Amino acid sequence: MRSHQEAQSRGAGLGNSTLATSIEQTKKEGVLLRYFSAAEVEAGLDYPRLIDALSEAFHRGGEAMPVRQSYEVGTASNPGHLLTMPAWARGKMLGVKLVTVFPQNSALNVGTVSSLYVLFDGVAGQPRAIIDGEALTNRRTAAASALASRNLSRPDSRTMLMVGTGRLASYLPLAHRAVRPIERVFVWGRSLDRAQIVADMLARQGLEAIATADLPTAVSTADIISCATTSREPLVAGRHLRPGTHVDLVGAFTREMRETDDDLVCRSRVFVDTYPGALNEAGDLIQAIASGRWHAADICGDLHELTSGARPGRLSCSEITLFKSVGVATEDLAAASLLLGE
């Protein structure tokens, strides 16, 4: 990856003439600030194109983006946080996701998390779009998992287990289906009724989806296991996995959370979206390191290394692979740029 100084130098190389041309073109074309609703995000970001866009962004690499910043902005009666996640491709586009988290909002009958994505052009810094942040995040998160799966799961993977019944549960199986011939999806959640609701949603999308209360059996029969929960205790045990399984961990986004046990991590070839994010936020990995049974040096690669070919993906049909994502702002920027047609 090129350094921050090198990137600045290249950005300066655009020259005043390029900047003037961009501004003049904007004036002539009367470029409007566009708003993309959740429905427009869903319609505009089909998984095959989005997965390819993320692959290109990770393959390209670039300078390291700032870590997510969190600010305490609530009141004594309703505490809250503002999160900011910026990313840029110099001379092209730049953007920032703004997220608010107010845990006590349920008492007000409104959602706990709200978000917007603001996209600017990268030459003159002019605002180009405001995008529904939740829809953008859900879509790009699922696409990142599918990108990893394209490199790590067996090409003949047909059975998937979805662990968790939150909002992402209706996205992840469809994204994986875009890269693998998924035919059947088992859905497990702490509430069987909620699992049935998710299964019904997936069935309407053409998948054979079955709600299950027997997690160990589902784990032992799945080719791909995707987890998207906020669990603080292991849900998926390594002893239940059969050879050749791919495990996709999307939830457990703090050091205190985890969705798998140490045995599963130790049995797997482990890949991450980014090294800094995973080693700072991924409880499944951090807790396995703390136990002394696994080490950060055991990570086999990140998405940049996978997409660029610097590190190999799956090596055999019998090995167990694990992908842990915590999210990265580069994914938001790639998705937003694709949505705008840039």
Side-chain angles (χ1 to χ4, degrees), residues 50 123 182 246 265 304:
L50 179 54
V123 175
I182 303 298
H246 172 60
V265 175
H304 169 65

Side-chain angles (χ1 to χ4, degrees), residues 47-48 51 139 142-143 145-147 149-150 153 155 157-160 170-185 201-209 224 226 248:
Y47 284 122
I51 293 165
R139 204 80 180 175
S145 285
L147 173 59
S149 181
R150 190 162 72 181
S153 65
S157 297
R158 287 180 167 78
T159 300
M160 180 174 174
S170 61
Y171 287 83
L172 287 160
L174 299 176
H176 280 277
R177 186 176 65 173
V179 298
R180 292 293 183 253
I182 303 298
E183 298 172 350
R184 175 181 295 182
V185 178
M201 293 171 62
L202 294 173
R204 290 193 291 270
Q205 299 293 323
L207 284 166
E208 180 186 351
I224 296 174
S226 188
D248 170 42

Side-chain angles (χ1 to χ4, degrees), residues 6 17 34-35 46 67-69 76 84 87 95 112 124 155 161 196 201 207 256 294 297 317 329 336 339:
E6 290 172 331
S17 61
R34 293 196 57 187
Y35 173 71
D46 62 274
V67 298
R68 176 175 57 199
Q69 296 295 307
T84 61
T112 296
L161 167 62
Q196 186 61 58
M201 293 171 62
L207 284 166
E256 296 75 29
W294 190 79
C317 62
L339 185 63

Side-chain angles (χ1 to χ4, degrees), residues 71-82 102:
Y71 306 92
E72 198 284 312
V73 296
T75 64
S77 60
N78 193 20
H81 286 82
L82 169 68
F102 282 71

Side-chain angles (χ1 to χ4, degrees), residues 3 21 37 104 130 178 190 280 331 342:
S3 68
T21 299
S37 67
Q104 296 183 19
I130 297 175
R190 298 188 187 279
N280 280 292
E331 297 168 358
E342 298 293 336

Side-chain angles (χ1 to χ4, degrees), residues 34-274:
R34 293 196 57 187
Y35 173 71
F36 290 89
S37 67
E40 289 171 317
V41 173
E42 300 285 352
L45 293 178
D46 62 274
Y47 284 122
R49 289 195 312 129
L50 179 54
I51 293 165
D52 285 343
L54 294 187
S55 180
E56 181 181 345
F58 278 108
H59 180 270
R60 185 169 57 244
E63 62 189 292
M65 293 295 107
V67 298
R68 176 175 57 199
Q69 296 295 307
S70 177
Y71 306 92
E72 198 284 312
V73 296
T75 64
S77 60
N78 193 20
H81 286 82
L82 169 68
L83 310 179
T84 61
M85 285 158 274
W88 55 83
R90 291 180 187 272
K92 295 181 179 180
M93 304 297 288
L94 59 97
V96 59
K97 185 160 65 178
L98 306 171
V99 183
T100 58
V101 183
F102 282 71
Q104 296 183 19
N105 273 1
S106 58
L108 304 174
N109 292 319
V110 295
T112 296
V113 179
S114 299
S115 65
L116 286 173
Y117 194 83
V118 185
L119 185 68
F120 303 82
D121 80 73
V123 175
Q126 299 299 294
R128 298 293 304 279
I130 297 175
I131 304 169
D132 182 283
E134 182 177 6
L136 186 77
T137 301
N138 290 340
R139 204 80 180 175
R140 64 82 158 158
T141 300
S145 285
L147 173 59
S149 181
R150 190 162 72 181
N151 291 274
L152 299 175
S153 65
R154 298 193 331 271
D156 63 347
S157 297
R158 287 180 167 78
T159 300
M160 180 174 174
L161 167 62
M162 183 68 240
V163 178
T165 57
R167 195 170 297 273
L168 273 171
S170 61
Y171 287 83
L172 287 160
L174 299 176
H176 280 277
R177 186 176 65 173
V179 298
R180 292 293 183 253
I182 303 298
E183 298 172 350
R184 175 181 295 182
V185 178
F186 292 101
V187 182
W188 180 89
R190 298 188 187 279
S191 165
L192 186 59
D193 289 341
R194 178 59 190 167
Q196 186 61 58
I197 292 172
V198 173
D200 291 342
M201 293 171 62
L202 294 173
R204 290 193 291 270
Q205 299 293 323
L207 284 166
E208 180 186 351
I210 304 165
T212 180
D214 187 350
L215 183 57
T217 298
V219 167
S220 67
T221 58
D223 300 312
I224 296 174
I225 300 170
S226 188
C227 301
T229 75
T230 57
S231 178
R232 290 175 176 264
E233 299 294 334
L235 299 172
V236 180
R239 67 181 183 276
H240 294 143
L241 264 67
R242 64 177 180 176
T245 304
H246 172 60
V247 181
D248 170 42
L249 301 182
V250 180
F253 50 85
T254 72
R255 302 170 72 92
E256 296 75 29
M257 297 177 182
R258 70 183 311 179
E259 299 174 304
T260 61
D261 62 7
D262 288 351
D263 286 341
L264 192 152
V265 175
C266 292
R267 290 188 65 189
S268 305
R269 289 184 65 234
V270 176
F271 295 81
V272 297
D273 50 1
T274 67

